[in-house]
Amino acid sequence: GMVSNWTKIPPPLFKKVVIILIDALRDDFVFGSKGKQFMPYTTQVVEKGTSYSFIAEVKPPTVTMPRIKALMTGSIPGFIDVVVNLNSPALLDDNLIWQAKAAGKRIIFYGDDTWVKLFPKHFVEYDGTTSFFVSDFTEVDDNVTRHLDGVLKREDWDLLILHYLGLDHIGHLTGPNSRLVGPKLREMDNILKKIHISLLSKEEASLPNLLVVCGDHGMSETGGHGGSSEGEVHTPLLFISSAFEKRSGPLTQPELVQQTDLASTLAVGLGLPISRNSVGNLILPVVRGKTMREQLRFVHLNGFQLSRLLQENTPAYEKDPGYEHFKIAEKSHGNWIKLYLEGNNSEILLNLGKKVLKQYLEALKTLSSSLSKQVAQYDMYSMMVGTVIIMEVLLLLLLSVPKALSSRAEFEVPLSPPLFSLLFYLMCLMLCAVHVIVCTSAESLCYFCSMSWLTAVGVMMLISALMCGILSAIAKIFENSRLQLKNPAVSSSDWSETDVLILAGTIGHVLSLGASSFIEEEHQTWYFLINTLCLVLCQELCRNNFLLKECDPQQSITVKGNFDGIGEASECKNIDIPAAGNSKLGKATSSAEFIKGSDKWISVASPWIILICCRLLRSLNQTGVQWAHRPDFGHWLTSSEHKSELSFLAAVSLLMIFFLVQRRCSLVSKIAMALGLLGIYSYRASIGNVVFPWQHDSKDISKGITEARFVYVFVLGIVFTGTKDLLKSQVISADSNVKSTGLWEMYSGLVLLAALLFRPHNLPVLVFCLLIQTMMTKYIWRPLKCDAAQITIMHYWFGQAFFYFQGNSNGIATVDVSAGFVGLESYVEIPAIFLTAFATYSGPLLWAIHLLCYLSSEVSR
């Protein structure tokens, strides 16, 4: 009878529990200088009150919905939860909310409506607020606080959950160093004070109340979240109750615990079963005021739940170190119980109890670690099939690259001949046999094995066809090389240094994606590639401008005559000149004709100017993972002390954008562009990012709805004008000049939209983007007569580099969510998603559209 009581749920330790979850609350907002300055009451409770303070470590992804799941279930969510974060489905896993409802607890919730979606029909009363309208950081919290006075006077609830979103929205808008953070922390401090005093005043002698203050995740140095930087994964966790001893002595650094530990701790505190899939440990200081027998009972319950979870997920669970430690601790616990029941209350019993407690804690830690490692159980067979397909496609593309980089820019993938070969059918049969063996012998069903047999056969046929295509392409390459050896006259054109770099750089970048560290710091790869490209282009320009002087004069005249004839033919037929690519001297002669006077020196200097621009852009925004926390010029500009410098930079950048874009626009579009850029500055001034010269302080901050919509009108107007010209060239006149102008005006409209969505300190990125495009068009691509394939890949390289120049990375923490709400009064899903995506990928998009504009203009030339 004694042993069976070990797993019986003990009575609750607290009568009422209030959870205040402050979205994006970093640990230094409470325990650092900001906490002392803006949260005096919380600081006093932490340092001298009846409380326990911890720093909760959060596992990526650090976005709201997975964090709520971790807090309430004690399990570690996966990265797939990032996708469903936008539209959270009901949570079906065993969780604290479900257990509380099943036990008859009355739960009230106010705040982020993600909770209402995750736990439908669980709350006796709730009021959800949307978490996606990040421009609102006032009303979203007022809608929570307005319920407090009424609900704190009532006695008809057991668990109250408050989720405040304002701090997170401020982070997305202006970052953690914004002057808006202080008042918001002071507001949260006053709310905590009100709730704490109310709980103390209504406390009964039987059971105390508990106040829990925590964050779901932290905030990066740029204000976003989703990654794994220190600011994002460390949040404060406070337990405040009269049941705890009053703190005395100097304040020490808070202990580090896991965020998943909260679910187990609250379950014990509320007298509920620990969630079935929880990997968290009981936070022992919360129950330290209880007797040794009760403490041992609590940790045994936690260990029993973890060991049962281990048994369900691990066939050889008995050999696991954590399970072995737990069984040893359980045996020692049984010996302690025997001594206790014999009435032995000596010091020996207490010391033995402490020893057993220590054994349990070590077992819990080891069990939790083992279970956390098993969370990532990968479907290896399905992953291998997907990897094989990707590698085959990649290899086939690489084998086709030489033809794609030739002057004709041909792209041929030989797939049809292999489909009628005997090898194809033999490979299909062999792969289908392997599939049957794997799926019938596997212990657990994988995703690929769960597919219908027809689909599986289709996948096997695809793998076989790709493999035969690769073999066919390799055979064709060997056949061509043998023909060239027999007949030297039939030889391929010489490759320039640019061609070699483009091929080597593209292959090198693809191979680099096989390592996670290269993915995290991918921006370094692109910076290296464009810097090297600039140096190679400089070499080719120097050769084409100065090599001609050292050539034989007679040879130069002959080559010049050949070029003139080819040039005339080109003008008549509007086609590319393959011969120019076959002769470096031909290239040199064409360059000499194109570049005259000072343009020659500007052309040679252009790659160096582009290198300088790229270096300046690198210092503007730190990105990646390893060095994202390092200060950069962008942080300096966005600090409140340098608002005048930021205003000046923004004004100059907007003027530069106008001068670089307007050159090929119609008069109406030029006027619209000028007014739109003025509206952008007015919008940024209205929301407090920049100031006008006559403004001393921007105390009146609005959402800038009117100013932003004013700009949207001009964006739509310019894009509509460009679309009209484009349709006119296709339907009515078939004029290539009208088509080129239409494309450029559409491009100009998108540049104006990007300028509106970019934060003020990022406007120089847009300026340098336009400047580099202008210089490369006039002084590099045309003088060198680069072919379509070269120009396309250069656009792609620079587009990728500018993605990172914006401050983006491969982590979702750098996504600027605030861009999706420019000009919106409330959350509207489709416009918000479009604006956020456009702002994030502006660099690649603008370079892709510029490629269309350039190729169109070259055809019209």
Side-chain angles (χ1 to χ4, degrees):
M2 176 192 70
V3 177
S4 62
N5 287 332
W6 282 16
T7 55
K8 187 178 178 182
I9 306 302
L13 307 179
F14 306 101
K15 183 184 179 185
K16 290 181 183 291
V17 175
V18 179
I19 301 173
I20 305 176
L21 195 156
I22 304 172
D23 212 293
L25 184 67
R26 290 188 357 173
D27 59 330
D28 59 335
F29 286 175
V30 174
F31 303 127
S33 58
K34 281 189 174 72
K36 291 179 181 178
Q37 183 179 357
F38 301 113
M39 303 187 77
Y41 186 80
T42 306
T43 303
Q44 182 186 352
V45 170
V46 166
E47 292 180 352
K48 301 176 183 177
T50 54
S51 67
Y52 288 109
S53 310
F54 304 94
I55 294 175
E57 187 177 19
V58 180
K59 301 292 184 188
T62 49
V63 292
T64 297
M65 193 276 280
R67 294 302 99 221
I68 295 173
K69 284 178 69 174
L71 286 165
M72 294 296 106
T73 65
S75 59
I76 301 175
F79 276 87
I80 189 64
D81 289 307
V82 175
V83 179
V84 296
N85 183 58
L86 297 172
N87 189 18
S88 310
L91 182 60
L92 301 178
D93 293 350
D94 187 16
N95 60 80
L96 186 75
I97 302 295
W98 184 86
Q99 292 284 4
K101 187 189 176 189
K105 304 282 184 185
R106 296 158 297 179
I107 313 168
I108 294 177
F109 170 76
Y110 304 118
D112 186 352
D113 60 1
T114 305
W115 288 78
V116 181
K117 295 174 185 175
L118 285 172
F119 309 107
K121 302 178 182 178
H122 286 69
F123 306 119
V124 295
E125 183 181 317
Y126 64 87
D127 184 13
T129 56
T130 180
S131 59
F132 294 112
F133 186 51
V134 298
S135 296
D136 173 26
F137 49 83
T138 306
E139 292 177 16
V140 73
D141 285 346
D142 291 345
N143 285 334
V144 177
T145 308
R146 65 192 174 95
H147 297 284
L148 279 183
D149 290 332
V151 79
L152 290 174
K153 292 175 184 176
R154 290 156 41 189
E155 295 291 332
D156 60 344
W157 57 271
D158 303 294
L159 178 60
L160 173 63
I161 304 172
L162 309 170
H163 189 149
Y164 284 95
L165 288 162
L167 184 65
D168 177 66
H169 290 184
I170 289 171
H172 283 299
L173 281 171
T174 55
N177 300 314
S178 166
R179 60 189 180 86
L180 298 171
V181 169
K184 178 57 67 176
L185 291 177
R186 191 176 287 114
E187 178 189 341
M188 295 296 103
D189 189 57
N190 291 332
I191 290 164
L192 187 148
K193 181 179 179 181
K194 176 191 284 190
I195 295 171
H196 187 212
I197 291 172
S198 174
L199 289 176
L200 288 174
S201 64
K202 296 199 168 190
E203 216 160 65
E204 297 175 1
S206 57
L207 282 177
N209 298 323
L210 175 66
L211 174 60
V212 180
V213 183
C214 61
D216 56 344
H217 52 74
M219 187 188 297
S220 69
E221 287 301 317
T222 56
H225 54 86
S228 56
S229 67
E230 189 174 347
E232 295 169 84
V233 300
H234 287 163
T235 67
L237 178 59
L238 309 180
F239 295 92
I240 305 170
S241 174
S242 60
F244 307 147
E245 293 181 3
K246 200 164 187 178
R247 297 188 69 90
S248 59
L251 184 67
T252 57
Q253 177 69 17
E255 183 186 344
L256 190 69
V257 298
Q258 296 299 313
Q259 190 183 52
T260 49
D261 296 344
L262 181 64
S264 305
T265 307
L266 285 179
V268 170
L270 288 166
L272 303 172
I274 298 172
S275 301
R276 183 185 184 89
N277 296 319
S278 172
V279 297
N281 294 342
L282 174 68
I283 301 174
L284 193 63
V286 177
V287 297
R288 195 165 279 157
K290 299 298 175 181
T291 63
M292 180 58 70
R293 185 180 185 183
E294 287 178 303
Q295 290 184 50
L296 290 173
R297 186 180 179 188
F298 295 146
V299 291
H300 176 266
L301 275 173
N302 193 186
F304 181 78
Q305 174 263 326
L306 290 173
S307 62
R308 187 176 59 183
L309 184 62
L310 187 73
Q311 290 178 41
E312 293 171 357
N313 290 280
T314 309
Y317 66 89
E318 292 178 347
K319 296 179 182 178
D320 187 88
Y323 187 81
E324 291 175 352
H325 291 167
F326 174 69
K327 285 301 176 183
I328 292 168
E330 198 174 43
K331 189 176 180 181
S332 301
H333 189 185
N335 295 332
W336 187 90
I337 289 288
K338 287 177 184 177
L339 287 173
Y340 177 82
L341 293 176
E342 289 171 3
N344 190 339
N345 292 318
S346 65
E347 189 73 22
I348 298 172
L349 187 68
L350 181 62
N351 291 333
L352 181 61
K354 289 180 180 179
K355 183 182 176 182
V356 175
L357 194 61
K358 188 178 179 181
Q359 287 178 332
Y360 266 131
L361 292 176
E362 288 177 0
L364 292 180
K365 190 176 180 180
T366 313
L367 281 167
S368 181
S369 177
S370 299
L371 288 165
S372 299
K373 289 175 184 175
Q374 291 180 11
V375 168
Q377 291 182 345
Y378 299 111
D379 183 355
M380 294 305 297
Y381 178 53
S382 302
M383 288 172 66
M384 285 174 65
V385 171
T387 304
V388 167
I389 294 173
I390 291 170
M391 294 305 293
E392 286 182 331
V393 171
L394 175 62
L395 187 55
L396 202 55
L397 290 174
L398 289 176
L399 291 171
S400 306
V401 161
K403 281 195 172 183
L405 288 178
S406 66
S407 56
R408 292 184 179 183
E410 291 179 339
F411 186 77
E412 182 185 353
V413 179
L415 278 180
S416 53
L419 294 177
F420 301 100
S421 65
L422 179 63
L423 178 64
F424 168 72
Y425 296 106
L426 289 174
M427 286 191 70
C428 279
L429 287 172
M430 185 182 72
L431 290 174
C432 288
V434 170
H435 179 70
V436 171
I437 292 168
V438 171
C439 291
T440 52
S441 61
E443 292 181 2
S444 59
L445 276 177
C446 67
Y447 174 75
F448 190 44
C449 292
S450 63
M451 286 182 171
S452 65
W453 284 103
L454 191 63
T455 308
V457 170
V459 172
M460 296 307 168
M461 289 178 70
L462 174 63
I463 293 173
S464 304
L466 289 171
M467 181 57 70
C468 291
I470 289 166
L471 295 173
S472 176
I474 292 171
K476 198 170 183 180
I477 289 169
F478 277 114
E479 184 181 347
N480 290 337
S481 63
R482 278 201 302 269
L483 283 172
Q484 289 171 16
L485 288 172
K486 290 179 181 178
N487 187 8
V490 184
S491 60
S492 59
S493 60
D494 293 334
W495 278 32
S496 66
E497 288 88 346
T498 308
D499 294 327
V500 174
L501 173 65
I502 285 173
L503 179 59
T506 304
I507 294 172
H509 170 254
V510 171
L511 294 176
S512 73
L513 298 180
S516 60
S517 55
F518 274 98
I519 295 172
E520 291 173 353
E521 307 296 321
E522 189 185 356
H523 60 285
Q524 301 287 7
T525 305
W526 289 115
Y527 295 165
F528 171 77
L529 288 177
I530 61 170
N531 289 348
T532 310
L533 178 64
C534 287
L535 294 174
V536 170
L537 290 173
C538 181
Q539 181 189 3
E540 290 213 5
L541 286 165
C542 288
R543 179 193 297 126
N544 292 345
N545 285 319
F546 303 114
L547 183 66
L548 206 61
K549 294 179 181 179
E550 301 172 6
C551 289
D552 180 64
Q554 184 63 38
Q555 188 183 15
S556 300
I557 292 165
T558 306
V559 174
K560 182 180 182 301
N562 291 339
F563 170 75
D564 290 339
I566 296 167
E568 286 171 10
S570 173
E571 286 175 5
C572 295
K573 297 181 182 178
N574 259 336
I575 57 170
D576 288 336
I577 315 165
N582 295 339
S583 171
K584 292 184 179 179
L585 288 171
K587 270 193 169 185
T589 310
S590 64
S591 300
E593 289 293 310
F594 187 90
I595 303 171
K596 296 178 181 179
S598 61
D599 282 358
K600 178 171 69 174
W601 297 102
I602 297 174
S603 177
V604 173
S606 293
W608 297 101
I609 296 171
I610 293 169
L611 278 173
I612 293 168
C613 293
C614 292
R615 185 62 192 89
L616 291 172
L617 288 173
R618 287 180 66 175
S619 62
L620 184 64
N621 291 305
Q622 288 282 0
T623 185
V625 174
Q626 298 295 330
W627 315 109
H629 62 283
R630 296 284 296 273
D632 50 41
F633 191 50
H635 286 128
W636 184 85
L637 284 170
T638 51
S639 62
S640 55
E641 301 86 26
H642 303 115
K643 187 172 282 189
S644 56
E645 290 89 343
L646 178 62
S647 303
F648 176 75
L649 181 66
V652 172
S653 298
L654 292 172
L655 282 172
M656 289 288 293
I657 290 168
F658 176 74
F659 285 118
L660 289 167
V661 168
Q662 55 83 35
R663 55 195 168 88
R664 289 173 58 187
C665 294
S666 63
L667 180 62
V668 175
S669 294
K670 286 179 183 179
I671 296 169
M673 177 67 67
L675 291 173
L677 292 170
L678 182 63
I680 289 170
Y681 194 89
S682 301
Y683 165 72
R684 289 297 169 184
S686 67
I687 64 173
N689 292 146
V690 299
V691 291
F692 283 106
W694 55 85
Q695 277 183 300
H696 295 292
D697 191 13
S698 54
K699 289 183 179 177
D700 299 325
I701 296 176
S702 69
K703 294 178 183 176
I705 303 293
T706 306
E707 293 85 350
R709 290 180 177 177
F710 176 79
V711 179
Y712 283 138
V713 170
F714 291 115
V715 170
L716 292 173
I718 295 171
V719 171
F720 174 77
T721 305
T723 307
K724 182 191 71 175
D725 289 343
L726 201 59
L727 291 173
K728 183 180 176 183
S729 69
Q730 296 293 321
V731 178
I732 301 172
S733 64
D735 186 352
S736 58
N737 286 325
V738 175
K739 179 183 176 182
S740 180
T741 304
L743 277 171
W744 185 262
E745 290 198 332
M746 290 180 68
Y747 174 70
S748 304
L750 295 176
V751 168
L752 183 62
L753 178 60
L756 173 65
L757 300 180
F758 275 24
R759 298 201 182 197
H761 76 278
N762 257 349
L763 287 173
V765 177
L766 200 52
V767 173
F768 283 129
C769 175
L770 297 170
L771 181 63
I772 291 171
Q773 287 172 352
T774 304
M775 295 187 72
M776 294 199 77
T777 300
K778 188 173 181 181
Y779 298 111
I780 296 178
W781 291 327
R782 284 176 184 163
L784 290 178
K785 291 289 181 181
C786 294
D787 56 41
Q790 289 176 331
I791 292 168
T792 301
I793 294 175
M794 287 186 208
H795 272 84
Y796 173 70
W797 281 20
F798 273 96
Q800 292 298 308
F802 271 86
F803 172 80
Y804 295 104
F805 285 145
Q806 288 175 238
N808 294 320
S809 71
N810 287 328
I812 59 174
T814 51
V815 175
D816 184 10
V817 183
S818 64
F821 304 93
V822 174
L824 300 182
E825 283 183 326
S826 60
Y827 175 63
V828 187
E829 188 172 0
I830 293 175
I833 291 172
F834 168 76
L835 293 174
T836 304
F838 181 82
T840 304
Y841 296 101
S842 287
L845 282 170
L846 291 178
W847 277 91
I849 297 164
H850 183 268
L851 174 64
L852 293 176
C853 295
Y854 176 79
L855 294 178
S856 174
S857 66
E858 287 304 291
V859 169
S860 66
R861 283 166 62 88

